[in-house]
Amino acid sequence: QVQLVESGGGSVQAGGSLRLSCVASDLGFSASCMGWSRQAPGKEREGVAMIGADGVATYADSVKGRFTVSRDNAKNTLYLQMTRLEPEDTAMYYCVRDPPGGFPHNNCHRLGDLIEYGFSGQGTQVTVSS
């Protein structure tokens, strides 16, 4: 059973930055499609960013230009660097891994797949105050 452990959440003021980390327990990390999703109170979970084994990343329009997803395969770790944070970014953030066999069609660009098919960790809370 793969374990995903997120860290790095916290409370910041608008305009501030945070870096989230996610350590994965499985040996197949380097070949996996990974990503981040978030869920704000009263809202549905949404895909934020994802990155393939080839390092190509995809972002939600709401975070493009402010968030950067990256991975360190030697450390089995996924990151999400968040800058220029806004109150609307307040949410529980989840690290997500593709299921065994990968996402449908081995596509690592459909953020919706993070929600529909992905395996998530327990999450880390990000709170941005105005």
Side-chain angles (χ1 to χ4, degrees):
Q1 180 77 9
V2 173
Q3 287 190 324
L4 303 171
V5 180
E6 303 97 333
S7 62
S11 298
V12 297
Q13 291 191 325
S17 300
L18 282 174
R19 188 177 80 156
L20 307 183
S21 299
C22 168
V23 178
S25 65
D26 69 306
L27 298 178
F29 177 85
S30 63
S32 64
C33 175
M34 300 292 298
W36 294 92
S37 65
R38 68 185 180 184
Q39 187 165 21
K43 295 188 177 181
E44 292 187 352
R45 194 174 295 196
E46 63 174 347
V48 174
M50 60 199 305
I51 183 168
D54 58 2
V56 175
T58 302
Y59 298 94
D61 288 343
S62 59
V63 306
K64 204 171 291 183
R66 300 188 298 121
F67 291 10
T68 303
V69 62
S70 61
R71 62 196 300 164
D72 185 337
N73 291 333
K75 296 181 179 180
N76 268 26
T77 302
L78 179 75
Y79 301 100
L80 185 68
Q81 179 68 50
M82 305 185 293
T83 64
R84 291 185 283 143
L85 283 161
E86 303 168 353
E88 293 73 22
D89 296 316
T90 294
M92 184 72 79
Y93 283 72
Y94 300 90
C95 176
V96 186
R97 191 201 191 285
D98 58 359
F103 288 123
H105 310 298
N106 286 319
N107 189 319
C108 193
H109 302 289
R110 293 185 69 246
L111 293 173
D113 285 348
L114 293 173
I115 311 304
E116 187 167 0
Y117 303 108
F119 172 81
S120 300
Q122 294 299 307
T124 185
Q125 177 68 38
V126 172
T127 302
V128 185
S129 57
S130 58

